[in-house]
Coordinates of all heavy atoms in Angstrom, one line a residue:
M1 N 0.8 -1.2 0.0 CA 0.0 0.0 0.0 C 0.9 1.3 0.0 O 0.4 2.3 -0.5 CB -0.9 0.0 1.2 CG -2.1 -1.0 1.1 SD -3.1 -0.7 2.5 CE -4.2 -2.1 2.3
L2 N 2.1 1.1 0.5 CA 2.9 2.4 0.5 C 3.3 2.8 -0.8 O 3.7 4.0 -1.0 CB 4.2 2.1 1.4 CG 3.9 1.8 2.9 CD1 5.2 1.4 3.6 CD2 3.2 3.0 3.6
R3 N 3.3 1.9 -1.8 CA 3.7 2.3 -3.1 C 2.5 2.5 -4.1 O 2.7 2.8 -5.3 CB 4.6 1.2 -3.7 CG 5.9 1.1 -3.0 CD 6.9 0.1 -3.5 NE 6.5 -0.5 -4.8 CZ 6.7 -1.8 -5.1 NH1 7.2 -2.6 -4.2 NH2 6.3 -2.3 -6.3
G4 N 1.3 2.4 -3.6 CA 0.1 2.6 -4.4 C -0.1 4.0 -4.9 O 0.1 5.0 -4.1
A5 N -0.6 4.1 -6.1 CA -1.0 5.4 -6.6 C -2.1 6.1 -5.9 O -2.2 7.3 -5.8 CB -1.4 5.3 -8.1
C6 N -2.9 5.3 -5.2 CA -4.0 5.7 -4.4 C -3.6 6.5 -3.1 O -4.4 7.2 -2.5 CB -4.9 4.6 -4.0 SG -4.1 3.2 -3.1
R7 N -2.3 6.3 -2.7 CA -1.8 7.0 -1.6 C -2.0 8.5 -1.6 O -2.2 9.2 -0.6 CB -0.3 6.7 -1.4 CG 0.0 6.1 -0.1 CD 1.5 5.7 0.0 NE 2.2 6.9 0.6 CZ 3.3 7.3 0.1 NH1 3.9 6.8 -0.9 NH2 3.9 8.3 0.7
Q8 N -2.0 9.1 -2.8 CA -2.1 10.5 -3.0 C -3.5 11.0 -3.3 O -3.7 12.2 -3.4 CB -1.2 10.9 -4.1 CG 0.3 10.6 -4.0 CD 0.9 11.2 -2.7 OE1 0.6 12.3 -2.4 NE2 1.7 10.4 -2.0
A9 N -4.5 10.0 -3.3 CA -5.9 10.4 -3.7 C -6.7 10.4 -2.4 O -6.3 9.8 -1.4 CB -6.4 9.4 -4.7
D10 N -7.8 11.0 -2.5 CA -8.8 11.0 -1.5 C -9.4 9.6 -1.3 O -9.9 9.0 -2.3 CB -9.9 11.9 -1.8 CG -11.1 12.0 -0.8 OD1 -11.0 11.3 0.3 OD2 -12.0 12.8 -1.0
P11 N -9.3 9.0 -0.1 CA -9.7 7.6 0.1 C -11.2 7.4 -0.3 O -11.6 6.4 -0.7 CB -9.5 7.3 1.6 CG -8.5 8.3 2.0 CD -8.6 9.5 1.1
E12 N -12.1 8.5 -0.1 CA -13.5 8.4 -0.4 C -13.7 8.0 -1.8 O -14.8 7.4 -2.2 CB -14.1 9.7 -0.1 CG -14.1 10.1 1.4 CD -15.1 9.3 2.2 OE1 -16.2 9.0 1.7 OE2 -14.8 8.9 3.4
L13 N -12.8 8.4 -2.7 CA -12.9 8.2 -4.1 C -13.1 6.7 -4.4 O -13.8 6.3 -5.4 CB -11.7 8.7 -4.9 CG -11.7 8.5 -6.4 CD1 -12.8 9.3 -7.1 CD2 -10.3 8.9 -6.9
F14 N -12.5 5.8 -3.7 CA -12.4 4.4 -3.9 C -13.6 3.6 -3.3 O -13.6 2.4 -3.4 CB -11.1 3.8 -3.4 CG -9.9 4.4 -4.2 CD1 -9.3 5.6 -3.7 CD2 -9.5 3.9 -5.4 CE1 -8.3 6.2 -4.4 CE2 -8.5 4.5 -6.1 CZ -7.9 5.6 -5.6
F15 N -14.5 4.3 -2.7 CA -15.7 3.7 -2.1 C -16.9 4.4 -2.5 O -17.7 5.0 -1.7 CB -15.5 3.7 -0.6 CG -14.3 2.9 -0.1 CD1 -13.1 3.5 0.1 CD2 -14.3 1.5 0.0 CE1 -12.0 2.8 0.5 CE2 -13.2 0.8 0.4 CZ -12.0 1.5 0.6
P16 N -17.3 4.2 -3.7 CA -18.6 4.8 -4.2 C -19.8 4.1 -3.5 O -19.7 2.9 -3.1 CB -18.7 4.5 -5.7 CG -17.5 3.6 -6.0 CD -16.6 3.5 -4.8
V17 N -20.9 4.9 -3.2 CA -22.0 4.4 -2.5 C -23.0 3.6 -3.3 O -23.9 3.0 -2.8 CB -22.7 5.5 -1.8 CG1 -21.8 6.1 -0.7 CG2 -23.2 6.6 -2.7
A18 N -22.9 3.6 -4.6 CA -23.8 2.8 -5.5 C -23.0 2.4 -6.7 O -21.8 2.6 -6.8 CB -24.9 3.7 -5.9
V19 N -23.7 1.8 -7.7 CA -23.0 1.4 -8.9 C -23.5 2.1 -10.2 O -23.0 1.8 -11.3 CB -23.2 -0.2 -9.1 CG1 -22.4 -1.0 -8.0 CG2 -24.6 -0.6 -9.2
A20 N -24.4 3.0 -10.0 CA -25.0 3.7 -11.1 C -24.9 5.2 -10.9 O -24.6 5.7 -9.8 CB -26.4 3.3 -11.4
G21 N -25.2 6.0 -11.9 CA -25.2 7.4 -11.8 C -23.9 8.1 -11.4 O -22.8 7.6 -11.9
P22 N -23.9 9.0 -10.5 CA -22.6 9.7 -10.1 C -21.6 8.7 -9.5 O -20.4 8.9 -9.6 CB -23.1 10.7 -9.1 CG -24.5 11.0 -9.4 CD -25.1 9.7 -9.9
A23 N -22.1 7.7 -8.8 CA -21.2 6.7 -8.2 C -20.4 6.0 -9.3 O -19.3 5.6 -9.1 CB -22.0 5.7 -7.4
A24 N -21.0 5.7 -10.4 CA -20.3 5.0 -11.6 C -19.2 5.9 -12.1 O -18.1 5.4 -12.3 CB -21.3 4.7 -12.7
R25 N -19.4 7.2 -12.2 CA -18.4 8.1 -12.6 C -17.3 8.1 -11.5 O -16.1 8.2 -11.8 CB -18.9 9.5 -12.8 CG -19.8 9.6 -14.1 CD -20.2 11.0 -14.4 NE -21.1 11.6 -13.5 CZ -22.5 11.3 -13.5 NH1 -23.0 10.5 -14.4 NH2 -23.2 11.9 -12.6
Q26 N -17.6 8.1 -10.3 CA -16.7 8.0 -9.2 C -15.8 6.8 -9.3 O -14.6 6.8 -9.1 CB -17.4 8.1 -7.8 CG -16.4 8.1 -6.6 CD -17.2 8.1 -5.3 OE1 -18.3 8.4 -5.2 NE2 -16.5 7.8 -4.2
A27 N -16.4 5.7 -9.5 CA -15.7 4.4 -9.7 C -14.7 4.5 -10.8 O -13.6 4.0 -10.8 CB -16.7 3.2 -9.8
E28 N -15.2 5.1 -12.0 CA -14.3 5.2 -13.1 C -13.1 6.1 -12.8 O -12.0 5.9 -13.2 CB -15.1 5.7 -14.3 CG -16.0 4.8 -15.0 CD -15.4 3.4 -15.3 OE1 -14.3 3.4 -15.9 OE2 -15.9 2.4 -15.0
A29 N -13.3 7.1 -12.0 CA -12.2 8.0 -11.6 C -11.2 7.3 -10.7 O -10.0 7.5 -10.9 CB -12.8 9.3 -10.9
A30 N -11.7 6.4 -9.8 CA -10.9 5.6 -9.0 C -10.1 4.6 -9.8 O -8.9 4.4 -9.6 CB -11.7 4.9 -8.0
K31 N -10.7 4.0 -10.8 CA -10.0 3.1 -11.7 C -9.0 3.8 -12.5 O -7.9 3.2 -12.8 CB -11.0 2.4 -12.7 CG -12.0 1.5 -12.0 CD -12.9 0.9 -13.1 CE -13.9 0.0 -12.5 NZ -14.8 -0.6 -13.6
A32 N -9.2 5.1 -12.8 CA -8.2 5.8 -13.6 C -6.9 6.0 -12.7 O -5.8 5.9 -13.3 CB -8.7 7.2 -14.0
V33 N -7.1 6.2 -11.4 CA -5.9 6.2 -10.5 C -5.2 4.9 -10.5 O -4.0 4.9 -10.7 CB -6.3 6.6 -9.1 CG1 -5.2 6.5 -8.1 CG2 -6.9 8.0 -9.1
C34 N -5.9 3.8 -10.5 CA -5.3 2.5 -10.5 C -4.6 2.2 -11.8 O -3.6 1.4 -11.8 CB -6.4 1.4 -10.3 SG -7.3 1.5 -8.7
G35 N -5.0 2.8 -12.9 CA -4.5 2.5 -14.2 C -3.0 2.8 -14.3 O -2.3 2.1 -15.1
S36 N -2.5 3.7 -13.6 CA -1.1 4.0 -13.6 C -0.3 3.5 -12.5 O 0.9 3.9 -12.3 CB -0.9 5.6 -13.7 OG -1.4 6.2 -12.5
C37 N -0.9 2.7 -11.7 CA -0.3 2.2 -10.4 C 0.7 1.1 -10.6 O 0.5 0.1 -11.3 CB -1.4 1.8 -9.4 SG -0.7 1.3 -7.8
A38 N 1.9 1.2 -10.0 CA 3.0 0.2 -10.1 C 2.6 -1.1 -9.3 O 3.2 -2.1 -9.7 CB 4.3 0.8 -9.6
V39 N 1.7 -1.0 -8.4 CA 1.4 -2.2 -7.6 C 0.0 -2.7 -7.9 O -0.6 -3.4 -7.0 CB 1.6 -2.0 -6.1 CG1 3.1 -1.7 -5.8 CG2 0.8 -0.8 -5.6
R40 N -0.6 -2.4 -9.0 CA -1.9 -2.7 -9.3 C -2.2 -4.3 -9.3 O -3.2 -4.7 -8.7 CB -2.3 -2.2 -10.7 CG -3.7 -2.5 -11.1 CD -4.0 -1.9 -12.5 NE -5.3 -2.2 -12.9 CZ -5.8 -1.9 -14.0 NH1 -5.1 -1.2 -14.9 NH2 -7.1 -2.2 -14.3
A41 N -1.3 -5.1 -9.9 CA -1.4 -6.5 -9.9 C -1.5 -7.1 -8.4 O -2.3 -8.0 -8.1 CB -0.3 -7.1 -10.6
S42 N -0.6 -6.6 -7.5 CA -0.6 -7.1 -6.2 C -1.9 -6.7 -5.5 O -2.5 -7.4 -4.7 CB 0.6 -6.5 -5.4 OG 1.8 -7.0 -6.0
C43 N -2.4 -5.5 -5.7 CA -3.6 -5.0 -5.2 C -4.8 -5.8 -5.6 O -5.6 -6.2 -4.8 CB -3.8 -3.5 -5.5 SG -5.2 -2.7 -4.8
L44 N -4.8 -6.1 -6.9 CA -5.9 -6.9 -7.4 C -5.9 -8.3 -6.9 O -6.9 -8.9 -6.6 CB -5.8 -6.9 -8.9 CG -7.0 -7.7 -9.6 CD1 -8.4 -7.3 -9.2 CD2 -6.8 -7.6 -11.1
S45 N -4.7 -8.9 -6.8 CA -4.5 -10.2 -6.2 C -5.1 -10.3 -4.8 O -5.9 -11.2 -4.4 CB -3.1 -10.6 -6.2 OG -3.0 -11.9 -5.7
Y46 N -4.8 -9.3 -4.0 CA -5.3 -9.1 -2.6 C -6.9 -9.1 -2.7 O -7.6 -9.8 -1.9 CB -4.7 -8.0 -1.9 CG -5.6 -7.6 -0.7 CD1 -5.5 -8.3 0.5 CD2 -6.5 -6.5 -0.7 CE1 -6.3 -8.0 1.6 CE2 -7.2 -6.2 0.3 CZ -7.1 -7.0 1.5 OH -7.9 -6.7 2.6
A47 N -7.3 -8.2 -3.6 CA -8.8 -8.0 -3.6 C -9.5 -9.2 -4.1 O -10.7 -9.4 -3.6 CB -9.1 -6.8 -4.6
L48 N -9.0 -10.0 -4.9 CA -9.6 -11.2 -5.4 C -9.6 -12.2 -4.2 O -10.5 -13.1 -4.2 CB -8.9 -11.8 -6.6 CG -9.2 -11.1 -7.9 CD1 -8.2 -11.5 -9.0 CD2 -10.6 -11.2 -8.3
E49 N -8.7 -12.2 -3.4 CA -8.6 -13.1 -2.2 C -9.6 -12.6 -1.1 O -10.4 -13.4 -0.6 CB -7.2 -13.2 -1.7 CG -7.0 -14.1 -0.6 CD -7.0 -15.6 -1.0 OE1 -6.6 -15.9 -2.1 OE2 -7.3 -16.4 -0.2
A50 N -9.5 -11.3 -0.7 CA -10.2 -10.9 0.4 C -11.6 -10.4 0.1 O -12.5 -10.3 1.0 CB -9.4 -9.8 1.1
M51 N -11.8 -10.0 -1.2 CA -13.1 -9.4 -1.6 C -13.6 -8.2 -0.8 O -14.8 -8.2 -0.3 CB -14.2 -10.5 -1.7 CG -13.9 -11.6 -2.7 SD -13.6 -11.1 -4.4 CE -15.4 -10.8 -4.8
P52 N -12.7 -7.2 -0.6 CA -13.2 -6.0 0.2 C -14.1 -5.2 -0.6 O -14.2 -5.2 -1.8 CB -11.8 -5.3 0.4 CG -11.0 -5.6 -0.7 CD -11.4 -7.1 -1.1
E53 N -14.8 -4.3 0.0 CA -15.6 -3.3 -0.6 C -14.8 -2.3 -1.3 O -13.6 -2.1 -1.0 CB -16.5 -2.6 0.4 CG -17.5 -3.4 1.1 CD -18.7 -3.8 0.3 OE1 -19.1 -3.1 -0.6 OE2 -19.2 -4.9 0.4
G54 N -15.3 -1.6 -2.4 CA -14.6 -0.6 -3.0 C -13.8 -1.0 -4.2 O -13.8 -2.1 -4.6
V55 N -13.1 0.0 -4.8 CA -12.3 -0.2 -6.0 C -10.9 -0.6 -5.5 O -10.2 0.2 -4.8 CB -12.3 1.1 -6.9 CG1 -11.3 0.9 -8.0 CG2 -13.7 1.4 -7.3
W56 N -10.4 -1.7 -5.9 CA -9.1 -2.2 -5.6 C -8.5 -2.8 -6.9 O -9.2 -3.5 -7.6 CB -9.2 -3.4 -4.6 CG -9.5 -2.9 -3.2 CD1 -10.8 -2.6 -2.8 CD2 -8.7 -2.8 -2.1 NE1 -10.7 -2.3 -1.4 CE2 -9.4 -2.4 -1.0 CE3 -7.3 -2.9 -1.9 CZ2 -8.9 -2.1 0.2 CZ3 -6.7 -2.7 -0.7 CH2 -7.5 -2.3 0.4
G57 N -7.3 -2.5 -7.2 CA -6.6 -3.0 -8.4 C -7.3 -2.7 -9.6 O -7.3 -3.4 -10.6
G58 N -8.0 -1.6 -9.7 CA -8.8 -1.1 -10.9 C -10.1 -1.9 -11.1 O -10.6 -1.8 -12.2
T59 N -10.6 -2.6 -10.1 CA -11.9 -3.3 -10.3 C -12.8 -3.0 -9.1 O -12.4 -2.7 -8.0 CB -11.7 -4.8 -10.3 OG1 -11.1 -5.2 -9.1 CG2 -10.8 -5.2 -11.5
T60 N -14.1 -3.1 -9.4 CA -15.1 -2.9 -8.4 C -15.4 -4.3 -7.7 O -15.0 -5.3 -8.3 CB -16.4 -2.4 -8.9 OG1 -17.0 -3.3 -9.9 CG2 -16.3 -1.0 -9.6
L61 N -16.1 -4.3 -6.6 CA -16.4 -5.6 -6.0 C -17.3 -6.4 -6.9 O -17.1 -7.6 -7.0 CB -17.2 -5.3 -4.7 CG -17.7 -6.5 -3.9 CD1 -16.6 -7.5 -3.5 CD2 -18.5 -6.1 -2.7
E62 N -18.2 -5.8 -7.7 CA -19.0 -6.6 -8.6 C -18.2 -7.1 -9.7 O -18.4 -8.3 -10.1 CB -20.1 -5.6 -9.2 CG -21.1 -5.1 -8.2 CD -20.6 -4.0 -7.3 OE1 -19.6 -3.3 -7.7 OE2 -21.2 -3.8 -6.3
E63 N -17.2 -6.4 -10.2 CA -16.3 -7.0 -11.2 C -15.5 -8.2 -10.7 O -15.3 -9.2 -11.4 CB -15.4 -5.9 -11.8 CG -16.1 -4.8 -12.6 CD -15.3 -3.6 -12.9 OE1 -14.4 -3.3 -12.1 OE2 -15.7 -2.9 -13.8
R64 N -15.0 -8.0 -9.5 CA -14.3 -9.1 -8.9 C -15.2 -10.4 -8.7 O -14.7 -11.5 -8.9 CB -13.6 -8.7 -7.6 CG -12.5 -7.7 -7.8 CD -11.7 -7.3 -6.6 NE -12.5 -6.8 -5.5 CZ -12.8 -5.6 -5.3 NH1 -12.5 -4.6 -6.2 NH2 -13.5 -5.2 -4.2
R65 N -16.4 -10.1 -8.2 CA -17.3 -11.3 -8.0 C -17.5 -12.0 -9.4 O -17.5 -13.2 -9.4 CB -18.6 -10.8 -7.5 CG -18.6 -10.5 -6.0 CD -19.9 -10.1 -5.5 NE -19.9 -9.8 -4.1 CZ -20.6 -8.9 -3.5 NH1 -21.6 -8.2 -4.1 NH2 -20.5 -8.8 -2.1
A66 N -17.7 -11.2 -10.4 CA -17.9 -11.8 -11.7 C -16.7 -12.6 -12.2 O -16.8 -13.6 -12.8 CB -18.3 -10.7 -12.8
A67 N -15.5 -12.0 -11.9 CA -14.3 -12.7 -12.3 C -14.1 -14.0 -11.6 O -13.6 -15.0 -12.2 CB -13.1 -11.8 -12.1
R68 N -14.5 -14.1 -10.4 CA -14.4 -15.3 -9.6 C -15.4 -16.3 -10.0 O -15.1 -17.6 -9.8 CB -14.5 -15.0 -8.1 CG -13.4 -14.2 -7.5 CD -13.5 -14.1 -6.1 NE -13.0 -15.3 -5.5 CZ -13.0 -15.5 -4.2 NH1 -13.5 -14.6 -3.3 NH2 -12.6 -16.6 -3.7
K69 N -16.5 -15.9 -10.7 CA -17.5 -16.9 -11.1 C -17.2 -17.5 -12.5 O -17.8 -18.5 -12.8 CB -18.9 -16.2 -11.1 CG -19.4 -15.9 -9.8 CD -20.8 -15.2 -9.9 CE -21.3 -14.8 -8.6 NZ -22.5 -14.1 -8.6
R70 N -16.3 -16.9 -13.2 CA -15.9 -17.5 -14.5 C -15.4 -18.9 -14.4 O -14.7 -19.3 -13.4 CB -14.8 -16.6 -15.1 CG -15.3 -15.3 -15.5 CD -14.3 -14.5 -16.2 NE -14.7 -13.1 -16.4 CZ -13.9 -12.1 -16.1 NH1 -12.6 -12.3 -15.8 NH2 -14.4 -10.9 -16.2
P71 N -15.7 -19.8 -15.3 CA -15.3 -21.2 -15.3 C -13.8 -21.4 -15.0 O -13.4 -22.3 -14.3 CB -15.8 -21.8 -16.6 CG -16.9 -20.9 -17.0 CD -16.5 -19.5 -16.5
A72 N -13.0 -20.6 -15.7 CA -11.5 -20.7 -15.5 C -11.1 -20.6 -14.1 O -10.2 -21.1 -13.6 CB -10.8 -19.7 -16.5
R73 N -11.8 -19.7 -13.4 CA -11.5 -19.4 -12.0 C -11.8 -20.7 -11.2 O -11.1 -21.1 -10.3 CB -12.3 -18.3 -11.4 CG -11.8 -17.0 -11.9 CD -10.8 -16.4 -10.9 NE -10.3 -15.2 -11.4 CZ -9.1 -14.8 -11.6 NH1 -8.2 -15.7 -11.3 NH2 -8.7 -13.7 -12.0
R74 N -12.9 -21.3 -11.5 CA -13.3 -22.5 -10.7 C -12.3 -23.7 -11.0 O -12.0 -24.4 -10.1 CB -14.8 -23.0 -11.1 CG -15.8 -22.2 -10.2 CD -17.1 -22.7 -10.5 NE -17.9 -21.7 -11.0 CZ -18.7 -21.7 -12.0 NH1 -18.8 -22.8 -12.7 NH2 -19.3 -20.7 -12.5
L75 N -11.9 -23.8 -12.2 CA -10.9 -24.8 -12.5 C -9.6 -24.6 -11.8 O -8.9 -25.6 -11.5 CB -10.8 -24.9 -14.0 CG -12.0 -25.4 -14.8 CD1 -11.7 -25.3 -16.3 CD2 -12.3 -26.8 -14.4
A76 N -9.3 -23.3 -11.6 CA -7.9 -23.0 -11.0 C -7.9 -23.5 -9.5 O -6.8 -23.6 -9.0 CB -7.6 -21.5 -11.1
G77 N -9.0 -23.7 -8.9 CA -9.0 -24.1 -7.5 C -10.0 -23.2 -6.7 O -10.0 -22.0 -6.8
A78 N -10.7 -23.9 -5.8 CA -11.7 -23.2 -5.1 C -11.1 -22.4 -3.9 O -11.7 -21.5 -3.4 CB -12.8 -24.1 -4.6
Q79 N -9.9 -22.8 -3.4 CA -9.3 -22.2 -2.3 C -8.8 -20.8 -2.5 O -8.8 -19.9 -1.7 CB -8.3 -23.1 -1.7 CG -8.8 -24.4 -1.1 CD -7.7 -25.2 -0.6 OE1 -6.5 -24.9 -0.8 NE2 -8.0 -26.3 0.0
S80 N -8.2 -20.6 -3.7 CA -7.6 -19.4 -4.0 C -7.9 -18.9 -5.4 O -8.1 -19.7 -6.3 CB -6.0 -19.5 -3.9 OG -5.4 -18.4 -4.4
P81 N -8.1 -17.6 -5.6 CA -8.5 -17.2 -7.0 C -7.3 -17.3 -7.9 O -7.4 -17.1 -9.1 CB -8.8 -15.7 -6.8 CG -8.2 -15.3 -5.5 CD -8.1 -16.5 -4.7
G82 N -6.1 -17.6 -7.4 CA -5.0 -17.8 -8.3 C -4.3 -16.5 -8.7 O -4.6 -15.5 -8.2
P83 N -3.2 -16.6 -9.5 CA -2.5 -15.5 -9.9 C -3.3 -14.5 -10.7 O -4.3 -14.9 -11.4 CB -1.3 -16.1 -10.8 CG -1.3 -17.5 -10.5 CD -2.7 -17.8 -10.0
V84 N -2.9 -13.3 -10.7 CA -3.6 -12.2 -11.4 C -3.1 -12.3 -12.9 O -1.9 -12.4 -13.1 CB -3.3 -10.9 -10.8 CG1 -4.0 -9.8 -11.7 CG2 -3.7 -10.8 -9.4
S85 N -4.0 -12.3 -13.8 CA -3.7 -12.3 -15.2 C -3.5 -10.9 -15.7 O -4.0 -10.0 -15.2 CB -4.7 -13.0 -16.1 OG -5.9 -12.2 -16.2
A86 N -2.7 -10.8 -16.8 CA -2.4 -9.5 -17.4 C -3.8 -9.0 -18.0 O -4.0 -7.8 -18.0 CB -1.4 -9.6 -18.5
T87 N -4.6 -9.9 -18.4 CA -5.9 -9.5 -18.9 C -6.7 -8.8 -17.9 O -7.3 -7.7 -18.1 CB -6.7 -10.7 -19.5 OG1 -5.9 -11.3 -20.4 CG2 -8.0 -10.3 -20.1
M88 N -6.7 -9.3 -16.7 CA -7.5 -8.7 -15.6 C -7.0 -7.3 -15.2 O -7.7 -6.4 -14.9 CB -7.5 -9.6 -14.4 CG -8.5 -9.3 -13.3 SD -10.2 -9.5 -13.8 CE -10.9 -9.1 -12.2
T89 N -5.6 -7.2 -15.1 CA -5.0 -6.0 -14.7 C -4.9 -4.9 -15.8 O -4.7 -3.8 -15.5 CB -3.6 -6.2 -14.1 OG1 -2.8 -6.7 -15.1 CG2 -3.7 -7.1 -12.9
G90 N -4.9 -5.4 -17.0 CA -4.7 -4.5 -18.1 C -3.2 -4.1 -18.3 O -2.9 -3.2 -19.1
E91 N -2.3 -4.8 -17.6 CA -0.9 -4.6 -17.8 C -0.2 -5.6 -18.6 O -0.8 -6.7 -18.8 CB -0.2 -4.6 -16.4 CG -0.8 -3.5 -15.5 CD -0.2 -3.6 -14.1 OE1 0.5 -4.6 -13.8 OE2 -0.5 -2.7 -13.3
S92 N 0.9 -5.3 -19.2 CA 1.6 -6.3 -19.9 C 2.2 -7.4 -19.0 O 2.4 -7.1 -17.8 CB 2.7 -5.7 -20.8 OG 3.8 -5.2 -19.9
A93 N 2.4 -8.5 -19.6 CA 2.9 -9.7 -18.7 C 4.3 -9.3 -18.2 O 4.7 -9.9 -17.1 CB 2.9 -10.9 -19.5
T94 N 5.0 -8.5 -18.9 CA 6.4 -8.2 -18.4 C 6.4 -7.3 -17.2 O 7.3 -7.2 -16.4 CB 7.3 -7.6 -19.4 OG1 6.6 -6.4 -19.9 CG2 7.4 -8.6 -20.6
R95 N 5.3 -6.6 -17.0 CA 5.2 -5.6 -15.8 C 4.6 -6.2 -14.6 O 4.8 -5.7 -13.5 CB 4.4 -4.4 -16.3 CG 5.1 -3.6 -17.3 CD 4.5 -2.3 -17.5 NE 4.4 -1.6 -16.3 CZ 3.5 -0.6 -16.1 NH1 2.5 -0.3 -16.9 NH2 3.4 0.0 -14.9
T96 N 3.8 -7.3 -14.7 CA 3.1 -7.8 -13.6 C 4.0 -8.9 -13.0 O 4.5 -9.7 -13.6 CB 1.7 -8.4 -13.9 OG1 1.9 -9.4 -14.9 CG2 0.8 -7.3 -14.4
G97 N 4.0 -9.0 -11.7 CA 4.8 -10.0 -11.0 C 4.2 -11.4 -11.2 O 4.9 -12.3 -11.5
H98 N 2.9 -11.6 -11.1 CA 2.3 -12.9 -11.2 C 2.2 -13.3 -12.7 O 2.5 -14.5 -13.0 CB 0.9 -12.9 -10.6 CG 0.9 -12.6 -9.1 ND1 1.5 -13.5 -8.3 CD2 0.5 -11.5 -8.4 CE1 1.3 -13.0 -7.0 NE2 0.8 -11.8 -7.1
A99 N 1.8 -12.4 -13.6 CA 1.6 -12.8 -15.0 C 2.9 -12.9 -15.7 O 2.9 -13.5 -16.8 CB 0.7 -11.7 -15.6
A100 N 4.0 -12.5 -15.2 CA 5.3 -12.6 -15.9 C 5.7 -14.0 -16.1 O 6.4 -14.4 -17.0 CB 6.4 -11.8 -15.1
D101 N 5.2 -14.9 -15.3 CA 5.5 -16.3 -15.4 C 4.6 -17.0 -16.5 O 4.9 -18.2 -16.8 CB 5.3 -17.0 -14.1 CG 6.2 -16.5 -13.0 OD1 7.3 -16.0 -13.3 OD2 5.8 -16.6 -11.8
R102 N 3.7 -16.4 -17.0 CA 2.8 -17.0 -18.0 C 3.0 -16.4 -19.4 O 3.5 -15.3 -19.5 CB 1.3 -16.7 -17.7 CG 0.9 -17.2 -16.4 CD -0.5 -16.9 -16.1 NE -1.0 -17.6 -15.0 CZ -2.3 -17.5 -14.6 NH1 -3.1 -16.8 -15.2 NH2 -2.7 -18.2 -13.6
Q103 N 2.7 -17.2 -20.4 CA 2.8 -16.7 -21.8 C 1.5 -16.1 -22.2 O 0.4 -16.5 -21.6 CB 3.1 -17.9 -22.7 CG 4.5 -18.5 -22.5 CD 4.8 -19.6 -23.4 OE1 3.9 -20.0 -24.2 NE2 6.0 -20.1 -23.4
A104 N 1.5 -15.2 -23.1 CA 0.3 -14.6 -23.5 C -0.5 -15.6 -24.4 O 0.1 -16.4 -25.1 CB 0.6 -13.4 -24.4
P105 N -1.8 -15.5 -24.3 CA -2.7 -16.4 -25.1 C -2.5 -16.2 -26.6 O -2.0 -15.1 -27.0 CB -4.1 -16.1 -24.7 CG -4.0 -15.2 -23.5 CD -2.6 -14.7 -23.4
P106 N -2.7 -17.2 -27.4 CA -2.6 -17.0 -28.9 C -3.3 -15.8 -29.3 O -4.5 -15.5 -28.9 CB -3.1 -18.3 -29.4 CG -3.1 -19.3 -28.3 CD -3.2 -18.5 -27.1
G107 N -2.8 -15.0 -30.2 CA -3.4 -13.8 -30.8 C -3.2 -12.6 -29.9 O -3.7 -11.5 -30.3
R108 N -2.5 -12.7 -28.8 CA -2.3 -11.5 -27.9 C -0.8 -11.4 -27.7 O -0.1 -12.3 -27.7 CB -2.9 -11.8 -26.5 CG -4.4 -11.8 -26.6 CD -5.0 -11.6 -25.3 NE -4.4 -10.4 -24.7 CZ -5.0 -9.6 -23.9 NH1 -6.3 -9.7 -23.9 NH2 -4.4 -8.6 -23.3
T109 N -0.4 -10.1 -27.6 CA 1.0 -9.9 -27.4 C 1.2 -9.4 -25.9 O 0.3 -8.8 -25.4 CB 1.6 -8.8 -28.3 OG1 0.8 -7.7 -28.2 CG2 1.5 -9.3 -29.8
A110 N 2.3 -9.8 -25.4 CA 2.6 -9.3 -24.0 C 3.1 -8.0 -23.9 O 3.7 -7.4 -24.8 CB 3.6 -10.3 -23.4

């Protein structure tokens, strides 16, 4: 958390009170802060494990719930959501700690 881009932002930004209207714009603003964060993958990995409220790793709680329900997640193991993929974080595989060990899917470049 000490290296997170969110450190310089208002904490309220990351906890919108709804998912529509002005709150949706607030969530998008929070995600924009996450977009340039050096520790986004670690943050998202934590958020997929702990499922806290708010925007973490550039995702909302609803987005993380949906990601955990995908069939690939269930096959990876019920105990842990597994490593964060570059697709989920929007980062290249060379920049993410967890995704760096994986190859990009066919048709995608890292």
Side-chain angles (χ1 to χ4, degrees):
M1 288 185 189
L2 293 175
R3 294 181 10 221
C6 57
R7 236 178 91 225
Q8 304 301 322
D10 179 1
E12 296 284 324
L13 178 66
F14 298 90
F15 297 95
V17 294
V19 294
R25 288 187 293 278
Q26 180 180 344
E28 289 305 314
K31 290 178 182 184
V33 172
C34 297
S36 63
C37 185
V39 296
R40 181 178 180 185
S42 296
C43 183
L44 180 55
S45 182
Y46 163 78
L48 286 168
E49 182 76 27
M51 297 300 283
E53 294 290 326
V55 175
W56 289 78
T59 62
T60 63
L61 177 59
E62 292 78 18
E63 291 167 337
R64 293 188 301 275
R65 283 182 179 151
R68 290 185 81 184
K69 290 179 182 177
R70 291 184 192 135
R73 287 266 179 235
R74 276 189 240 129
L75 292 174
Q79 295 177 352
S80 172
V84 177
S85 72
T87 303
M88 188 74 176
T89 64
E91 297 176 353
S92 70
T94 58
R95 291 191 57 208
T96 60
H98 298 291
D101 297 332
R102 296 182 171 181
Q103 293 181 358
R108 295 199 45 141
T109 58

